[in-house]
Structure formats: structure tokens, C-alpha cells
Amino acid sequence: MLKQTPLNATHRELGAKMVDFGGWDMPVNYGSQIEEHHAVRSGCGLFDVSHMLPLDIRGANVRAFLRRLVANNVDKLQVSGKALYSCMLNEAGGVIDDLILYFMDESWFRLVVNAGTAEKDLAWMEKMNADWGMGLTLTPRRDLAMIAIQGPNAVQALNEALPGVDSITANLKPFNAAAMGEMFIARTGYTGEDGFEVMVPVKSAPFFWKALMEAGGKPIGLGARDTLRLEAGMNLYGQDMDETTSPLESGLAWTVDLKSGRDFVGRAALEKSEVTKQLAGLLLLDRGVLRSHQKVHTQYGEGEITSGTFSPTMQQSIALARIPLGIAPGAEVEVEIRDKKLRAKVVRYPFVRNGKILIA
Amino acid sequence: MSIPADLKYTPSHEWVRVEADGTLTVGITHHAQDLLGDMVFIETPAAGRTLAKGEECAVVESVKAASDVYAPVAGEVIAANADVEASPESVNQDAYSAWMFKMKPANAADVAGLMDAAAYRKLVESEAH
């Protein structure tokens, strides 16, 4: 039996094509994935991301707990509502999950974790909570639905759908959040566009979704969510990194704080490890489509594509690939696609941000 | 569901039109393109290539996934459609005019082994459950 979000009936009414996404019955598209992709880059798209889990951690030791639990430094969060992206590592330095942490107050942080890893994450956090004697309360918030509103018209759509929110959206900076009654409004996303991720009580979700559609928001499925995030150069857990890969070889070194003296889980392993790979962007020069697990041949050895797709914005195939360190942007590599070796160029990513192509 | 009655079909979702001269025109069905989603890349076989029945001979890729197209019967490729390679989205717009290749069957009698529209409809309906 697949799990359903509070918007399941809404997706079906809209004629969505539903798929099993890690045990969740989710919309992959509502017609054309490419049209949905463009709608987000040029207007406003709505995503049901209620399969992801908001998780409240409360208690006097919450900051001390998170200093040890995650690889990024929660001490960067000093203003209520400020958000931080981080990996949670195992002792070997592998990535258990990537997540967003919101600082609410000194006894309350809110985390958002991936759907497929939610149970594993929760078990891990409860174990650390017990092992370290932190005495914290972890509360999964399945009573909240989450809707992402993304695109250049996201502000306008949200303001129109939710009377009174304009006083918040006018001042909310990227990677910050604010509460409005029972709602939680964060200026975050997974598309490379301006926008919000809004948590609402489950019972209000279908009504809120319809109001957002009336305000010009177009429903967007998981298919376009993937092409948008890949153009934006954002990692996908389980594909670009997992428990067997180091964040330092997954393009996530910027999220790993080795400067402060904190002793976080995985730090010792990372400091001992030798980094030999990097996550790089690829642009396919020949005709075809890059896909995950295709082999990449470089002058310093082999690599592998972790995420690949056809970019609707660039009208060309792009990918993220884990390749040997030392291969610089501009280098040409070969990708094995079926029985052929096709030419690709190593590029710096993101590929697209705020509707603009960043690759020359 | 669009399954023209005048065409033949395969269990791997190709459609086949038997032309007056006995040659075959091959494409993928409306159902197949619907499963795959927006097409972004198509590779057709070279004219002159000899195909075994069921041999992988063309590739269709959507934003979602890559899929092979198989030879409906044994024979030789006599033409490939450069237009679908240039405009993969034409398969989404009208799967039955966006043909992939034309072939000459090795044995004209093999064509009788293909599914008719009713049988193909049954197959698609059974896959839906």
C-alpha cells in the first residue's frame, strides 16, 4: 500500500500521472514534464513536497546536539527563522541524509529530511539523543503538508493566495523562514528560482493548493522537479551521494565545516580520508542523453554519471558526474552510451539559475 | 486510447503499417509515447541494415528514460525518418504519423504473426491492471 500525501486526491482530480516514488504515490507529471519545467522558469510552479518530513527537535540541549549531529555548523544560525543546509554523516563520513535545519529558538530547531530516509534518520537521531544523554524530544510533523511555490512569479502567487502574507514575503530573505499562525513560510526551494516552501496544517492543504492555482501557480510533478534541480546543480540524495560516498567527493565540501573545533560525527573519518574524486558538471557535445551510471572516461581515469538528463532550458543534455580530481572545467571527456563513446565537456555548475543559462 | 484498426502491433509497443508493396513502416504506439513522456532524442537505424526479429534497432529517449525499439519481423531497413530525429516531440504529437523506419520483411508471411488492433488493445488494458 503506497503512502499518500494530503494532496493525493487533488493530484488525481488534476489528471496527474501517479507513480510509486520510494513508497509514496506521487504525481510525476500532469501532462507534459517539459511544459511544467518551463512554467517554473518563466512563471510559477506548485510542488507537493509533503512526502518530505518536517521534524521538530526541542529541549535545552538542542544546539549542542546539532553541533555534533550534522557536518555544517549550526552556530551559523543565530537569528530566528534562519536556515542551514547540511549533511548528516555516519562515523565513516558517508552521507546518511542531506537536510535543512531552521533555528527557531534556543530550545527548538525544525529540520526537513528526505522522504525515503525519514525513518532511518529518525532512528539515528534518537540513538544519538540517547547515547549522548541529550534528553531532547523529536517530533515528526506529519500533521503538516508542504507545498513549494517556485518561479519568478512565486511571490505574487503566494501573496494573492494567502491574504496578509505580503508583510512577510516583502522582507523574507533567501534561506530564511517565518511563522504565520499555524503556517511556516520558508524562502527555500529546489529549482534555482526564487520561491517558497510553505508548511500548512494537513486539513488546509487542498484549499491552499487551489488558491495558489487560482493565483497562477501551475502544478508541477516530480519529473520536472528533477530536471529543474539538476539544471540548478543541486544534489539528489541516493543518486549524487549516499552512505558510501564522502560529501567531499560529492560537491558538498562547502557544507562541511572543518574550520571550527566541533567534533561532529564523521569528522575524524573525513580528515583521514584522501579525496580523489570530484563532482563535476558535464555538457554533452554529441547527440544523445546523459543518464545516471553511464561510465565517463577522462585522461586521469574513469568516472561515473550520478545524475543525467535532457535540460529543457538549454535544449542539451547535462549531468553531474563523479570524476577524478584534477579534471578542470573545459576538459573534454567521453561518456559510454550504449555501444558508443560520446563527447562531453566538463563545466562548472549550476547550469541554470533564475531563468538564465550560466554555461557559455 | 488511440489504436488504429488498420495497423498491426507488437507486444513491445511498436506499430506496423503494411504498405501496398509489402514493405513495412514502423513506429511506436500512442500508448508507448504516453508511458515514456516528452521525447527528447531519437536514433533510427541506417538504411541497408539487416534486422533479426526482435532486434534492438532504434532508440527513443524521453526526459524520463531511454527505451529501445525492436524489429517487428526479420528483414532489411530501407529508409529511416530523419524528421523524427530532428523533432522527437513529433512522436508525442502524433505517434502514428511519426514513423521511425521502413523495412522489407525477409518473409512476407511473418507479418501474419503480428497482433491486430483488438489483440493489442487487450494487451495494453491488461498491463494497466
Side-chain angles (χ1 to χ4, degrees):
Chain A
M1 180 69 190
L2 294 178
K3 288 179 262 193
Q4 298 188 348
T5 75
L7 291 165
N8 192 276
T10 305
H11 302 316
R12 290 177 177 280
E13 278 165 30
L14 290 166
K17 184 171 286 181
M18 306 297 285
V19 294
D20 176 352
F21 181 75
W24 289 82
D25 188 39
M26 298 297 288
V28 65
N29 66 58
Y30 300 81
S32 163
Q33 178 176 333
I34 287 180
E35 281 171 27
E36 289 169 24
H37 181 106
H38 293 315
V40 174
R41 291 267 179 257
S42 63
C44 175
L46 308 177
F47 305 74
D48 177 12
V49 287
S50 306
H51 56 312
M52 296 177 76
L53 179 68
L55 176 66
D56 285 339
I57 307 185
R58 290 177 187 268
N61 293 324
V62 60
R63 186 183 287 274
F65 175 69
L66 295 171
R67 277 193 193 116
R68 286 178 74 174
L69 185 77
V70 300
N72 209 339
N73 190 355
V74 288
D75 289 335
K76 290 173 186 168
L77 305 179
Q78 296 298 334
V79 179
S80 181
K82 184 88 181 99
L84 183 72
Y85 172 76
S86 181
C87 290
M88 179 166 74
L89 306 178
N90 58 27
E91 290 292 352
V95 184
I96 296 174
D97 199 7
D98 65 336
L99 42 87
I100 291 182
L101 307 102
Y102 297 95
F103 168 58
M104 308 306 289
D105 61 48
E106 286 302 335
S107 63
W108 176 24
F109 278 69
R110 172 167 288 178
L111 278 56
V112 178
V113 304
N114 281 305
T117 50
E119 280 170 39
K120 172 185 83 167
D121 292 355
L122 201 55
W124 174 261
M125 289 181 207
E126 284 291 13
K127 183 176 185 303
M128 295 302 124
N129 183 30
D131 287 358
W132 300 337
M134 291 287 181
L136 301 168
T137 310
L138 278 63
T139 313
R141 297 296 306 270
R142 282 286 173 217
D143 56 317
L144 295 174
M146 192 152 43
I147 296 172
I149 305 142
Q150 303 279 304
N153 299 341
V155 180
Q156 190 193 323
L158 180 57
N159 285 347
E160 210 175 303
L162 193 60
V165 81
D166 49 340
S167 62
I168 290 177
T169 56
N171 301 306
L172 199 62
K173 294 197 173 69
F175 251 67
N176 278 271
M180 183 172 134
E182 289 181 290
M183 304 178 79
F184 184 82
I185 296 143
R187 199 154 205 158
T188 51
Y190 199 45
T191 61
E193 298 296 326
D194 184 23
F196 303 89
E197 289 173 305
V198 179
M199 297 177 203
V200 297
V202 158
K203 60 178 184 323
S204 324
F207 177 80
F208 182 45
W209 180 275
K210 283 186 182 111
L212 287 164
M213 283 185 65
E214 280 162 23
K218 299 269 182 293
I220 312 295
L222 291 179
R225 183 169 166 80
D226 192 53
T227 49
L228 288 159
R229 72 91 194 168
L230 189 45
E231 285 186 351
M234 293 171 169
N235 288 44
L236 174 61
Y237 187 79
Q239 218 166 298
D240 302 309
M241 74 292 197
D242 59 27
E243 292 195 14
T244 69
T245 55
S246 161
L248 306 180
E249 296 188 338
S250 307
L252 296 172
W254 63 278
T255 71
V256 179
D257 161 49
L258 295 171
K259 285 191 204 107
S260 70
R262 289 177 314 122
D263 182 23
F264 59 84
V265 179
R267 175 169 189 153
L270 288 187
E271 285 181 328
K272 263 186 272 173
S273 70
E274 191 196 349
V275 176
T276 62
K277 297 261 170 65
Q278 61 175 331
L279 204 68
L282 294 185
L283 194 62
L284 185 64
L285 301 174
D286 291 325
R287 289 185 67 244
V289 184
L290 301 170
R291 307 276 183 192
S292 56
H293 305 304
Q294 286 167 350
K295 205 179 272 182
V296 182
H297 297 272
T298 80
Q299 65 175 125
Y300 297 138
E302 278 180 10
E304 188 181 293
I305 289 179
T306 54
S307 290
T309 194
F310 177 82
S311 158
T313 305
M314 300 170 69
Q315 290 291 304
Q316 196 171 359
S317 184
I318 59 170
L320 295 178
R322 188 171 285 110
I323 60 172
L325 214 56
I327 305 292
E332 210 172 288
V333 298
E334 284 185 325
V335 182
E336 269 185 43
I337 302 183
R338 288 178 289 273
D339 55 344
K340 289 188 194 125
K341 282 188 180 170
L342 303 184
R343 294 174 308 129
K345 190 168 86 172
V346 177
V347 296
R348 263 183 238 287
Y349 60 91
F351 301 91
V352 179
R353 275 288 159 98
N354 297 313
K356 290 197 179 61
I357 296 169
L358 304 180
I359 307 292
Chain B
M1 198 187 328
S2 173
I3 302 177
D6 57 336
L7 300 178
K8 300 285 186 189
Y9 299 88
T10 69
S12 46
H13 306 288
E14 288 85 14
W15 60 259
V16 180
R17 189 170 61 231
V18 184
E19 308 292 353
D21 61 0
T23 62
L24 310 178
T25 304
V26 183
I28 66 165
T29 65
H30 177 80
H31 176 68
Q33 67 77 32
D34 189 49
L35 287 177
L36 285 163
D38 294 326
M39 294 294 170
V40 293
F41 173 77
I42 290 173
E43 194 176 69
T44 55
R49 183 172 151 188
T50 306
L51 301 174
K53 177 181 168 28
E55 185 177 334
E56 296 166 6
C57 58
V59 176
V60 290
E61 297 209 32
S62 69
V63 260
K64 250 190 329 204
S67 184
D68 290 307
V69 180
Y70 302 94
V73 296
E76 186 191 327
V77 178
I78 51 174
N81 187 358
D83 292 344
V84 290
E85 285 199 349
S87 310
E89 68 278 6
S90 61
V91 176
N92 298 116
Q93 286 151 6
D94 183 357
Y96 299 108
S97 60
W99 57 279
M100 307 269 156
F101 60 94
K102 292 177 188 287
M103 66 184 294
K104 191 170 189 244
N107 303 300
D110 290 349
V111 173
L114 297 169
M115 303 167 94
D116 64 14
Y120 181 66
R121 180 177 297 275
K122 227 179 231 176
L123 174 86
V124 170
E125 282 167 0
S126 72
E127 283 184 355
H129 298 296

